[in-house]
Amino acid sequence: MARSQLDRQIEEGVETAAVFIGRFLSGAPLTDQPRAPGGLARWLHALLRVLLLMWAGWAAWMWWVGDQERVIWVSAGAAAVIVPLMVVLHVRAAPRRRHMQTLVVPLSLALKEMMPAWDDAQRLAAVTIPFDRSFVKIALPDGWHGQDGHKEMLRELVNARLGGRWAGEWNFKRYPFYVLFQPQKEKAVYQVPDRVDFFSPEVQEAIAQCAPGELVLGFDDHRDALTKSKTGETPMWGLSVGSGGGKSSFLQMIITQLVGQGATVVGVDVKQSSISCFEGVQGVHLYTDPGNIGDMRAAIRWVAREVEARNYLKKKEPNKEFDRLTLILEEGNEFGDASKEWWNENKEKGDPGADPVWGDIASIMRMGRHVNATIIGVFQDLRESAVGNRGLRNMFRLLLLGNFNANQWKMIVNTSPVPESVDKPGRMLVIEGNRRVWIQVPYASPEAFREYAMQLRAERGYSTADLYGGAPAKSKERLPSLLQVSKPLFTKEPAAVDGEARPALESSDNGVDPEEKERFPEEDALSESGGPPADAGGEPEPAVRMEKVTEPADEAQELLTLAEIARRFQERGVEMNANTLRSHKSRRQDFPVGQMQDDGKERFTMEAIAVYYDIVWSGEEEAEPAVGTVPDAGGTEKDAGQAESV
């Protein structure tokens, strides 16, 4: 049987009525327009509609039976209660409406691009944000995994709409799927202190808690003391710190702590000012004269020999412990250049071309740890060439960098990214393996460090029981060339005036050092008496010197290298060896002081060398020298005609 149009209209009417009744009873909006967010909850709408329906049915029945007055009074009473209640609820719901309209609804609308499978109502229902904004929970559609960058877009959207930084916790494993955003906790900001006083209670307490061999380096960004042990895996320390980075303060602080632990300290400092404040402190041996590089090399050699002796005894007594011996090499770059120049000038035939001092340093670094001998090397630029190209840079297991640039970082550490250097005195980056810690070095005046070190030695004592040799003696400090005053030694005989000869200038007026006069008293007697002094038998003593030659003033004061001086003496018949002169220059404290030239080489005058070796020759430049004696390299005397070296 065919359905008529009436049948279809009846069915559609029934369906519409059923939908209306269902929406009415469920509290859903009665129209297709969604209810404005922030209003009454849906269940409350449903309850009010049911109550309204019940009241309407009761009122109609009572009105039908004739009890109109009762209906009027009950309706008036209900209105008196419900209307104020509705007003109160509306006012109290205002913040929720604003919250929904200003935050939740815009956020849900912004999700359209990232969740196109849902409609606006579904996206609005998916967003949950409490009033206190403590979290943001967003439900995710099935099969959604943040493809096409939507995951990162969603995180950035939450950060932009709610402000700050939010961390997301994604749930893709269990239904229902969602993402929960919570405020990302801000890390506390810590800063390295700008200045730390060495004598402050916190520093002294940290030093007091150090075990033997453990030293305080500085304070980190948590104001905690950073300590390192020179007895463990980091016995050798290397500093690559630019000028003004606080190297001097660091060394002074470390030496003071070493003195407090009874250590012997050997300091080599061509800078002359970093550690010189400890001069005179027992057990601290300083070599700071850049004019005597040989002394510095001898000190390094002595430490290497001490390490050799300790290793021999350690082999015999494996349980033997030694007092600490620390070599400090300050301004390593300058020392390396000066030592190389010294070796080039003083090496003899058959000696290696490379400076052997780095071999001694390598021996200390390789063999010194287990006999309590260590090195602290301080450089402005710790490149491989600065340590003799012997692979020693990698043996500095603990590095401290300050005032560095990107090139230095790549050369020494070679990791990325390159940290930014903090150009502040005493601010250093401690590098141990993969660990990086910025510290501030404790500071005090050099005088305070010295006074405290003297006090520690007096209180705790000092022992040389584990030293099997003595520290090398120091040569007489050499005056820099620009501060030297050159005086002529040989002068011309004054010419006669009016038939009378002028009196000859005395040796003191001719610029002869009084010390030289004391070294050769027989020469003074010879010059005063006009001839050699007589012996007990009245016979004159055979002359061992030749007459002084009259040299032109310009040649007498000409500055020459030792090789040129030896050559010129050989032209005059005096056998000299340039290598022997260099050897005497480096080993003898009373050797004449030369003048340093702009090219970095030291030059001397012929007069000074002649006086030192007591050499004179005949008045004619080409005349044969008289037979005399000159000292050789070993201090013995040989016939001048047969001597191979001075």
Side-chain angles (χ1 to χ4, degrees):
M1 182 177 180
R3 296 174 58 193
S4 63
Q5 184 178 1
L6 179 61
D7 295 335
R8 288 194 295 270
Q9 290 178 351
I10 293 174
E11 290 177 359
E12 291 176 357
V14 172
E15 290 178 358
T16 303
V19 170
F20 177 82
I21 294 173
R23 295 177 67 89
F24 181 86
L25 295 178
S26 65
L30 300 179
T31 64
D32 293 337
Q33 297 295 328
R35 185 181 293 115
L40 296 177
R42 186 170 177 172
W43 67 270
L44 189 56
H45 275 276
L47 177 61
L48 291 177
R49 288 175 181 177
V50 171
L51 292 176
L52 178 62
L53 185 61
M54 294 174 61
W55 174 82
W58 175 83
W61 172 257
M62 295 302 295
W63 193 276
W64 175 262
V65 298
D67 198 356
Q68 293 86 357
E69 184 178 357
R70 189 174 182 181
V71 172
I72 294 173
W73 282 106
V74 170
S75 299
V81 174
I82 293 175
V83 171
L85 180 61
M86 294 296 294
V87 172
V88 171
L89 292 176
H90 182 79
V91 173
R92 295 193 61 180
R96 173 177 170 80
R97 288 196 302 272
R98 288 193 300 269
H99 175 72
M100 296 292 293
Q101 294 170 358
T102 59
L103 183 60
V104 178
V105 174
L107 181 60
S108 67
L109 295 175
L111 297 177
K112 183 176 182 179
E113 181 180 355
M114 289 163 277
M115 300 178 183
W118 279 354
D119 58 20
D120 293 344
Q122 289 175 312
R123 286 189 291 268
L124 178 60
V127 178
T128 303
I129 304 177
F131 283 138
D132 58 1
R133 302 187 181 188
S134 59
F135 65 88
V136 176
K137 186 176 182 179
I138 302 176
L140 302 175
D142 295 347
W144 191 94
H145 293 285
Q147 56 273 20
D148 299 329
H150 290 166
K151 187 175 181 181
E152 184 65 21
M153 291 171 59
L154 183 56
R155 185 185 63 82
E156 292 180 356
L157 176 63
V158 173
N159 289 337
R161 294 301 176 93
L162 279 82
R165 305 296 298 176
W166 294 73
E169 180 182 347
W170 303 85
N171 173 34
F172 292 124
K173 297 181 178 180
R174 300 181 60 184
Y175 188 84
F177 309 123
Y178 65 87
V179 57
L180 180 64
F181 289 99
Q182 293 179 315
Q184 191 171 5
K185 295 182 179 180
E186 297 292 338
K187 294 182 179 180
V189 178
Y190 299 101
Q191 293 184 349
V192 178
D194 291 334
R195 183 184 176 90
V196 179
D197 185 4
F198 178 80
F199 295 100
S200 63
E202 55 183 354
V203 177
Q204 294 301 310
E205 181 181 357
I207 294 176
Q209 294 176 355
C210 288
E214 191 177 26
L215 305 174
V216 173
L217 276 66
F219 281 72
D220 59 16
D221 53 0
H222 288 73
R223 298 195 68 87
D224 294 332
L226 180 65
T227 60
K228 290 297 176 183
S229 176
K230 294 186 71 64
T231 59
E233 298 301 324
T234 58
M236 310 301 170
W237 297 356
L239 280 74
S240 182
V241 182
S243 179
K247 299 188 299 293
S248 299
S249 297
F250 179 83
L251 289 180
Q252 292 165 8
M253 177 198 64
I254 292 298
I255 292 176
T256 301
Q257 296 184 65
L258 289 172
V259 168
Q261 296 185 9
T264 300
V265 179
V266 180
V268 174
D269 179 17
V270 294
K271 187 179 178 181
Q272 305 183 76
S273 60
S274 296
I275 56 178
S276 59
C277 60
F278 294 96
E279 192 72 53
V281 177
Q282 187 181 16
V284 179
H285 308 281
L286 303 181
Y287 299 86
T288 60
D289 182 12
N292 288 301
I293 299 297
D295 290 356
M296 301 180 181
R297 296 167 58 90
I300 295 173
R301 176 60 179 163
W302 171 57
V303 176
R305 294 177 65 186
E306 290 287 345
V307 171
E308 180 184 9
R310 290 186 176 193
N311 275 279
Y312 179 84
L313 295 176
K314 188 75 171 179
K315 180 180 179 181
K316 302 295 183 181
E317 302 179 41
N319 296 326
K320 183 175 178 57
E321 299 295 334
F322 300 92
D323 292 336
R324 179 158 302 282
L325 174 61
T326 299
L327 170 64
I328 294 180
L329 181 61
E330 165 66 313
E331 291 294 344
N333 297 94
E334 179 64 22
F335 169 79
D337 293 340
S339 180
K340 182 178 180 180
E341 181 179 352
W342 185 96
W343 177 247
N344 290 337
E345 290 184 356
N346 293 275
K347 66 181 179 180
E348 298 182 358
K349 186 177 181 180
D351 289 336
D355 188 355
V357 71
W358 296 108
D360 293 332
I361 294 177
S363 178
I364 299 171
M365 297 184 70
R366 293 166 181 160
M367 306 295 294
R369 182 182 70 86
H370 71 295
V371 293
N372 224 7
T374 57
I375 286 182
I376 299 177
V378 183
F379 304 82
Q380 288 196 13
D381 187 4
L382 185 55
R383 60 183 66 232
E384 184 61 36
S385 59
V387 287
N389 291 314
R390 286 178 172 262
L392 302 182
R393 187 176 64 181
N394 294 332
M395 298 186 66
F396 290 111
R397 304 301 299 169
L398 184 73
L399 295 174
L400 291 91
L401 271 66
N403 278 10
F404 57 87
N405 55 40
N407 290 333
Q408 290 175 320
W409 176 271
K410 293 177 181 179
M411 182 180 302
I412 299 172
V413 185
N414 196 24
T415 59
S416 297
V418 178
E420 183 179 357
S421 177
V422 181
D423 298 335
K424 184 175 294 185
R427 186 66 53 84
M428 298 183 187
L429 180 61
V430 181
I431 303 172
E432 181 184 3
N434 295 324
R435 187 185 182 192
R436 314 281 191 266
V437 180
W438 280 102
I439 63 168
Q440 182 67 29
V441 175
Y443 172 82
S445 65
E447 295 76 13
F449 276 126
R450 170 186 169 80
E451 182 179 354
Y452 188 56
M454 298 286 283
Q455 178 183 345
L456 291 174
R457 279 291 195 236
E459 293 176 354
R460 304 180 184 182
Y462 172 68
S463 173
T464 60
D466 290 335
L467 295 179
Y468 304 101
K474 301 177 186 177
S475 302
K476 182 179 179 181
E477 187 173 5
R478 305 185 67 186
L479 195 65
S481 59
L482 293 181
L483 302 180
Q484 298 174 9
V485 178
S486 179
K487 296 182 180 180
L489 176 63
F490 301 117
T491 57
K492 293 183 179 180
E493 187 73 19
V497 179
D498 297 333
E500 296 182 0
R502 294 179 182 176
L505 296 176
E506 296 182 358
S507 59
S508 60
D509 295 334
N510 291 337
V512 179
D513 193 337
E515 294 183 359
E516 299 291 339
K517 190 173 182 180
E518 294 177 2
R519 290 172 55 228
F520 305 119
E522 68 277 6
E523 180 180 355
D524 300 329
L526 179 64
S527 61
E528 292 176 2
S529 62
D535 59 7
E539 294 293 332
E541 182 181 358
V544 295
R545 297 179 181 83
M546 295 159 279
E547 299 177 8
K548 292 182 180 178
V549 68
T550 302
E551 288 283 331
D554 55 345
E555 183 179 3
Q557 296 302 319
E558 185 178 2
L559 294 175
L560 305 169
T561 63
L562 292 177
E564 178 62 19
I565 290 175
R567 188 188 65 80
R568 294 194 182 188
F569 272 117
Q570 290 173 5
E571 290 179 352
R572 289 165 171 78
V574 179
E575 286 295 330
M576 279 194 175
N577 186 285
N579 290 332
T580 305
L581 291 180
R582 296 190 188 101
S583 177
H584 288 183
K585 168 181 169 290
S586 63
R587 298 175 183 174
R588 296 185 177 182
Q589 300 182 15
D590 58 348
F591 195 85
V593 177
Q595 297 185 23
M596 193 65 66
Q597 301 302 299
D598 295 338
D599 58 2
K601 294 184 178 181
E602 192 175 13
R603 290 181 169 82
F604 303 81
T605 60
M606 291 187 65
E607 307 95 304
I609 303 301
V611 170
Y612 181 74
Y613 292 110
D614 197 19
I615 299 174
V616 293
W617 56 87
S618 60
E620 294 296 334
E621 185 173 347
E622 300 297 330
E624 292 293 331
V627 176
T629 57
V630 290
D632 64 359
T636 60
E637 294 187 347
K638 295 182 179 181
D639 184 81
Q642 301 176 355
E644 295 179 356
S645 61
V646 177

